[in-house]
Structure formats: C-alpha cells, structure tokens
Amino acid sequence: MAESTKTAKLDFGGKSVTLPVHSGTIGPDVIDIGALYKETKAFTFDPGFTSTASCESKITYIDGDEGVLLYRGYPIEQLAEEGDFIETCYLLLYGELPTPAQRKKFENNITYHTMVHEQMALLFRGFRRDAHPMAVMVAVVGAMSAFYHDSIDIGDPRQREIASHRMIAKLPTIAAMAYKYHIGQPFVYPQNDLSYAANFLRMCFAVPCEEYKVNPVLARAMDRIFVLHADHEQNASTSTVRLAGSSGANPFACISAGIACLWGPAHGGANEAALKMLAEIGRPENIPDFITKVKDKNSNVRLMGFGHRVYKNYDPRAKIMQKTAHEVFEQLGIDQDPLLQVAHELERVALSDDYFISRKLYPNVDFYSGIILRAMGFPVSMFTVLFAIARTVGWISQWKEMIEEPNQRIGRPRQLYTGPARREYLDMSKRG
C-alpha cells in the first residue's frame, strides 16, 4: 500500500484525530481507522461490514452503481464470452492471462490432479443417501487435509501452489461423487482428454453401461457459469475463507469453511429461490397478479433473482446468463419451456415498471442460472455445489493473497457490548 497523502479529521470526546486516507486504483477512498482505538478508546460500528474495507486486494473489483465486475482488471463479459474457466483460474491465481505455454502447463497440472485418493471414496459411505450434497462437500473437502499432507504447510510457497491446483482440480470430482452417491449411481472417474467443464458433466451424467458423449453447447454453458461465479470480491464466503486463513488454518479447512458459508440461502441458495418463484408463477398470464402481490407490503411475496447487495444496476453477469439460457434451451429443444417464458415476461414487466426501476431492482445472475442448471439435468440440491466448484478458485486466490501479505494478522472484529455490566457472584444460598 502506497503512503497516503490524504487525511480525514475526526473530532471525538474533545479530541481531534487525523486519519490517513488511502486511494485504490479505482473505486472509493478508504479511511484508515487502524489507530482509532489507540487515539480515542472508541471502535467503529458497522453491522454487516457494509462500509468497511477488511483487506487490500488486487484480484476483483465491483462497481455496483455502474454494473461493473472486473477480474484482475478484465471485464467479466470479455472473459466469459472470449475466454474459458481454465484461463480465468490462471488469471485469478497469478494476476495475468497465460501465454500459450503457460496455459498448457497449467491445464496439465489441473488435469492430472483431478483424481482423488481412492480411500476418500470410503468417506461417502458414512453419509445417508439422502444427505444434502453440500453437507458432504463440507466434510469431504475438510478431510482432504488428512490425505494430502504434502500441501498443508502454508509457509511454503510451493505447497501453497500445489494445494491451490489440487482444489481447483479435485472439487469437480468430489462434487460429482457427492451427486452420484446421492442418486445411488456408481462413481465415474475423470477423463483427462476432456475439458474442465466437459469432464465434470461426464462425471455427473455418465453411467458404466452406456457410452456418454458430452454436448459441446452444454459444456460451454457450464464453463461460462464457472467463469461468472469464479470470484466476487469480499462476499460472505470469501471473507469467511480469509478469516479462517488468518489463523494459520490449512487451505483445505479454509475452503471447507467457505463452502459452509456458501450453503446459506442468503448467499449461494439465491438461484434456487428464483427458480422456485418462477415455478410458482407458472404461466406468463399469472405475472400481473404476482407483481401486485410483490408491491403489497403485507403479502410477504418477494421478487427473487432481482436486485443485489452490491449491484444497483444491471448485474453484468445476468446478460451473459440470459444469452446462455437461450443457447441451452434451443440446443435441448425446449426453447418454449414455460419457465423460460415466465422469466422473459417477468423481466420485461419488471424493467418497465416504475416501482422496480425506482428501487433499482434489476435481474441478477441468479435469475437465469437456476433454469439453466435445471434444463441441464441438475437437481436443485446441486445448485450451490456447482457454485462452490466455480468459487473455489476465487477463494484460494484470495487466501493465497492474504497469506502472502507481509502485514497479515489474525482477524479479530470488535463489538458493541450491550449485556449486563460487571456483577458479583452470589452463593447459591443467597440467590432469591
């Protein structure tokens, strides 16, 4: 971080404190309050950290007002349309797009790490068949530290890199195994001559008794979904990974913590809620009545898949998802699917209604991703699992950046205590 030339002045308790102000490459300035408690004996109060920068990062930038998402400075639209997930992984991890030689070496490293230790298959048998796949993911990813002892020394740069490659490579395999176990089918091993997304689809949908050919349109759609979800700045799960990592925990445990956080319906489960909403609407002609209920504060009916904690404009990922939905539905011959028709009409109505425009409720990435995954054959229980596969590279890139920060310290948020003041312990006989 460059030395600051800007300052902010805070008057508190009869004392004036000068605080440094830092400027990023782009985005709002940040007031450094690191010395605030020392100078004033006061903390700041920011529930949800909506106005607090928890770290310095060079990985991802979001401008919610303008609808901008950049990975290492590259617009998400360009990466999703012109690149692929392996290239995006390299970019997030190393900061630059790979040369052809770098791309080949990196892809080989990922490809030849896709198999998991054979004993890990025994872990799955400990779960009930109806266990949620995310519960399995949390446990199995955390257990990787018990199998890969040669990549848990976070002080060794080479071990950090190996752990990063392993998680990017093995998460699709573990996710597919969780899915197969859930539906009672045998595990399918990775196939090294397939692309990252195609390999994952094969591991999910192939069976030993039949030949399986990956549909290139579906593989491209899956790859694009991975790119769009690869990172999203300091969201809840990424912050969880960083906080866990700040204690010195091994990378597998940190990613497991991120998966657990992602499982929450307010985070990774949003596309499931949007799909459920579209199904409940059922037909385009039911939309006017639905919109009326959304506007009624007493109805408890919410418009899912619109609006975002960060974006106050059209989510740039949503436009790509909309195009992808068309491609998938056309390829599968279900372009007249009622849910897609409902999605189109609901989007049209909402974007032309002053009620939603004034509240900046634009479609987000979750609005279309649920119906795409449903069309591809994934059950709702797998939606967040797919999100976890994609986000792993973002988590591990953020973790790696944090570990390599010279001034990195364990995370320790403060609090506004509102419980009882100091009290004296009373002997049992004196308590009335």
Side-chain angles (χ1 to χ4, degrees), residues 340-403:
L340 186 61
Q341 293 179 342
V342 170
H344 282 319
E345 181 62 12
L346 182 59
E347 180 183 39
R348 186 193 67 78
V349 171
L351 290 180
S352 60
D353 191 308
D354 289 338
Y355 178 88
F356 301 108
I357 294 172
S358 64
R359 289 164 174 77
K360 298 183 178 180
L361 293 176
Y362 301 98
N364 60 40
V365 69
D366 301 306
F367 184 65
Y368 279 104
S369 63
I371 56 176
I372 294 173
L373 296 175
R374 170 180 169 271
M376 294 173 71
F378 288 104
V380 170
S381 61
M382 281 293 291
F383 287 4
T384 314
V385 174
L386 300 176
F387 195 160
I389 295 173
R391 187 55 56 85
T392 293
V393 65
W395 289 331
I396 204 67
S397 298
Q398 298 271 353
W399 171 84
K400 183 171 174 284
E401 181 181 64
M402 180 204 64
I403 293 297

Side-chain angles (χ1 to χ4, degrees), residues 58-61 70-75 91:
K58 297 179 174 64
I59 297 172
T60 302
Y61 173 74
L70 307 177
Y71 290 170
R72 300 285 192 178
Y74 292 96
L91 173 67

Side-chain angles (χ1 to χ4, degrees), residues 17 48 66 86 90 104 122 220 268 270 283 285 297-298 328:
V17 181
E66 297 298 323
I86 287 294
Y90 188 96
K104 182 177 181 180
L122 300 177
R220 178 62 181 137
R283 300 171 63 86
E285 51 264 35
K297 295 182 180 179
N298 298 317
V328 169

Side-chain angles (χ1 to χ4, degrees), residues 4 108 115 137 159 163 172 283 319 334 386:
S4 174
N108 283 341
M115 286 188 65
M137 293 289 288
Q159 289 199 34
R283 300 171 63 86
K319 296 179 181 179
I334 52 175
L386 300 176

Side-chain angles (χ1 to χ4, degrees), residues 32-219:
D32 186 343
I33 60 169
L36 183 66
Y37 179 70
K38 179 181 178 181
E39 297 290 336
T40 67
K41 298 303 178 184
F43 300 136
T44 56
F45 185 62
D46 184 20
F49 308 108
T50 56
S51 299
T52 299
S54 61
C55 64
E56 178 184 351
S57 181
K58 297 179 174 64
I59 297 172
T60 302
Y61 173 74
I62 299 171
D63 185 335
D65 293 332
E66 297 298 323
V68 172
L69 171 59
L70 307 177
Y71 290 170
R72 300 285 192 178
Y74 292 96
I76 188 65
E77 301 92 326
Q78 294 179 14
L79 294 171
E81 293 283 4
E82 301 174 30
D84 63 14
F85 186 62
I86 287 294
E87 185 176 65
T88 300
C89 287
Y90 188 96
L91 173 67
L92 291 173
L93 276 174
Y94 300 111
E96 299 292 343
L97 290 171
T99 64
Q102 290 169 335
R103 159 71 189 238
K104 182 177 181 180
K105 181 180 179 181
F106 180 71
E107 190 166 23
N108 283 341
N109 285 338
I110 299 303
T111 298
Y112 289 99
H113 271 307
T114 52
M115 286 188 65
V116 299
H117 195 290
E118 190 65 17
Q119 279 188 286
M120 290 186 72
L122 300 177
L123 294 174
F124 291 85
R125 298 180 186 176
F127 295 96
R128 288 169 50 122
R129 287 283 179 180
D130 59 356
H132 195 290
M134 281 296 280
V136 177
M137 293 289 288
V138 170
V140 175
V141 172
M144 288 176 71
S145 57
F147 289 86
Y148 302 106
H149 301 147
D150 60 340
S151 55
I152 58 174
D153 180 358
I154 64 172
D156 183 341
R158 180 56 182 158
Q159 289 199 34
R160 292 199 299 269
E161 184 174 52
I162 292 172
S164 301
H165 291 174
R166 277 180 169 154
M167 276 185 279
I168 294 169
K170 296 182 191 304
L171 258 290
T173 307
I174 293 171
M177 291 172 76
Y179 173 61
K180 287 295 197 181
Y181 184 80
H182 186 64
I183 62 175
Q185 291 185 1
F187 299 145
V188 175
Y189 286 90
Q191 188 169 308
N192 288 345
D193 62 347
L194 294 177
S195 70
Y196 190 90
N199 196 17
F200 174 65
L201 291 177
R202 179 182 173 275
M203 287 190 291
C204 285
F205 299 120
V207 291
C209 51
E210 297 177 9
E211 183 181 359
Y212 180 83
K213 291 186 178 180
V214 180
N215 185 313
V217 174
L218 300 188

